[in-house]
Amino acid sequence: MGRWGTTSEIVQVMLPSGDLIWVRVEAEQAATSDGDSGPVDVGLGQWIAPIAETLRLPGFTQTVRGVVTSVRQALDEHRPDSLTVKFGIQIAVKAGAVLSVLAEAGGSVHVTVTATWDRRDAAIPPGSEEELEMK
Amino acid sequence: MNHDEIAGRLLVACSARLDTDAGPQGTAFFVAPGFAVTAAHVIRGVNGLRVRLSEGPRNWRGRVVDVRPPLAREIAATSPYPAPDAALIEVDEGPPPACALLAKDPPPENALVMARGYTLTSGQRAVTAETETFRLTGMLETTDPDCTLLKLGLGEARHGMSGGPVLDLRTGEVIGMLRTSRKPGSNLGGWVVPAGLIRLLWPEEVGLAHDRFHEQYPLWRETASQLRDRQSTEGTQASPSIGTIQAGVVSVINGDNNGPVNIEYGPGSGRRGSGTR
């Protein structure tokens, strides 16, 4: 209730590798049903505890793996010699929990896929680039 | 040193940052030899919890010995914590601190007060001390018939200020302990557990020991008296010093407006105030 006094906070999160990084997250303004936040105890621990408890950034690994796996499956029959996937991860605070989700831009999630083939007999010309837009 | 600087130094002398093994939790302040108080929610209502207190180079270790009300499952995660929201800490290691002079009665409405606490305001990575002035705007009855909280306005109660002392800038007495913001991110002020109630919650550890301490070491009262005198003349001429205040417990060394408050026990005084407990 009312834990987040501002719309943006810098928090420390732990990547699956164990590395700690500082990220800026967009925080929800807690509010009551009439849109006006009420009295809140102003201890420090209660304020930073939700961040500490979710240091491990749940969903990060699954998000990355899901995107990469999906792209690889989509191009499986074409078997490219190299594959580059570019996408953004947005770290957000929802209901006091830190989440990692695919970054949105204008309501769309952009994943840029670059696949290359060195073989001359490939069905798709060498150096072809394909951009996927996910909504 | 002007009126507000004297008040600020009194707050520095009695307050401390509170840490647990989980990191910084808020603020506490010393109320009697060997005892400090904080808000119950600051220590998550856990009786027996080990805590560390610090102010500048001074460090103390202690243990929560009473929580009001005691933690119950249904209030573990509630905010605001049920009234009065206070916890007593017994300090068992550290230098002798200065004990706040607790007011017996609440101040008059619209009284100007100053709170001090340890916040993240200066940056999300560092906990630093911060003061804020408020006006007393009213009283708030609670579900506890013995507890009426003080309401403050015209100031921002920041996260980390919970458990911090609130000083009446007119009398130099601590009127209570800050515990809640009326609306985070606003200047709507907060709620304060009255000093008179803190005395009643622990009549021996705080009430009697506190009174004995200030009878034995009248320095805070003398400083408060000078604060009142200074208030009446403030604005006509700023003085660089209020003079060295000598007593066994606190020495506010003046002449250096930016210097720290020096806390010293007098010769022969024990670490806990010469057996005032």
Side-chain angles (χ1 to χ4, degrees):
Chain A
M1 176 176 169
R3 244 177 334 235
W4 311 101
T6 63
T7 57
S8 178
E9 305 288 347
I10 299 174
V11 302
Q12 195 174 38
V13 297
M14 181 182 288
L15 295 174
S17 64
D19 296 322
L20 288 173
I21 60 171
W22 288 94
V23 297
R24 180 178 292 279
V25 299
E26 296 301 316
E28 285 183 334
Q29 283 278 15
T32 55
S33 57
D34 62 2
D36 186 20
S37 64
V40 175
D41 295 332
V42 282
L44 211 47
Q46 285 82 353
W47 195 45
I48 61 176
I51 297 167
E53 290 166 1
T54 52
L55 271 177
R56 293 190 180 276
L57 198 56
F60 183 84
T61 301
Q62 292 87 338
T63 302
V64 174
R65 184 179 294 150
V67 171
V68 173
T69 301
S70 298
V71 171
R72 288 187 63 177
Q73 287 177 347
L75 296 174
D76 188 46
E77 64 182 88
H78 300 294
R79 284 182 288 179
D81 293 312
S82 67
L83 184 63
T84 303
V85 182
K86 294 180 182 177
F87 57 94
I89 295 287
Q90 182 175 336
I91 297 173
V93 176
K94 298 272 188 184
V98 180
L99 303 171
S100 53
V101 296
L102 284 180
E104 290 184 20
S108 301
V109 174
H110 285 269
V111 178
T112 302
V113 178
T114 304
T116 59
W117 290 263
D118 295 329
R119 303 188 309 259
R120 291 180 179 276
D121 58 347
I124 299 177
S128 175
E129 184 171 307
E130 187 174 350
E131 183 171 318
L132 304 177
E133 183 174 297
M134 301 163 62
K135 291 187 178 180
Chain B
M1 191 189 306
N2 65 28
H3 176 274
D4 286 358
E5 287 171 332
I6 298 170
R9 291 190 176 199
L10 287 176
L11 287 170
V12 171
C14 70
S15 58
R17 164 179 161 172
L18 187 150
D19 284 66
T20 67
D21 288 342
Q25 303 296 313
T27 308
F29 66 99
F30 293 94
V31 289
F35 287 99
V37 294
T38 187
H41 71 265
V42 167
I43 47 89
R44 296 174 181 261
V46 180
N47 201 357
L49 185 70
R50 298 292 305 181
V51 300
R52 298 185 301 280
L53 305 178
S54 60
E55 165 50 46
R58 296 174 294 144
N59 294 277
W60 300 268
R61 290 184 180 276
R63 181 174 60 93
V64 178
V65 293
D66 197 16
V67 181
R68 302 295 182 92
L71 181 69
R73 185 182 300 273
E74 62 268 22
I75 66 172
T78 62
S79 178
Y81 195 97
D85 188 13
L88 183 66
I89 299 165
E90 184 168 18
V91 179
D92 50 28
E93 184 182 329
C99 301
L101 177 61
L102 299 177
K104 291 184 177 177
D105 301 310
E109 195 164 319
N110 207 37
L112 184 62
V113 300
M114 178 185 283
R116 183 174 194 265
Y118 291 80
T119 70
L120 288 167
T121 303
S122 68
Q124 292 290 336
R125 303 183 194 192
V127 176
T128 57
E130 177 177 5
T131 59
E132 178 82 348
T133 57
F134 300 88
R135 290 279 183 181
L136 185 75
T137 57
M139 307 288 180
L140 176 65
E141 292 185 1
T142 70
T143 52
D144 180 347
D146 297 323
C147 177
T148 296
L149 301 174
L150 307 178
K151 291 200 307 180
L152 303 183
L154 296 176
E156 183 182 8
R158 300 280 297 178
H159 280 282
M161 285 185 167
S162 272
V166 182
L167 187 83
D168 186 333
L169 291 177
R170 180 181 58 89
T171 64
E173 296 176 334
V174 169
I175 65 162
M177 174 187 68
L178 190 65
R179 54 155 288 182
T180 301
S181 166
R182 292 167 68 179
K183 183 177 182 179
S186 76
N187 70 341
L188 291 180
W191 297 346
V192 172
V193 181
L197 178 59
I198 294 173
R199 296 165 62 99
L200 290 174
L201 287 174
W202 300 289
E204 288 195 17
E205 297 92 335
V206 179
L208 287 175
H210 164 274
D211 292 347
R212 286 196 203 111
F213 179 86
H214 286 287
E215 286 169 9
Q216 189 171 359
Y217 304 108
L219 177 61
W220 193 299
R221 289 187 193 282
E222 293 169 2
T223 307
S225 172
Q226 294 186 39
L227 204 61
R228 285 192 289 272
D229 294 343
R230 184 151 300 264
Q231 187 179 38
S232 64
T233 59
E234 195 90 332
T236 56
Q237 182 181 0
S239 169
S241 170
I242 62 169
T244 299
I245 304 168
Q246 292 290 354
V249 186
V250 182
S251 295
V252 182
I253 307 301
N254 302 293
D256 175 10
N257 288 354
N258 297 317
V261 173
N262 295 317
I263 309 296
E264 298 169 355
Y265 260 49
S269 64
R271 188 171 60 82
R272 285 189 173 179
S274 300
T276 53
R277 288 181 56 198

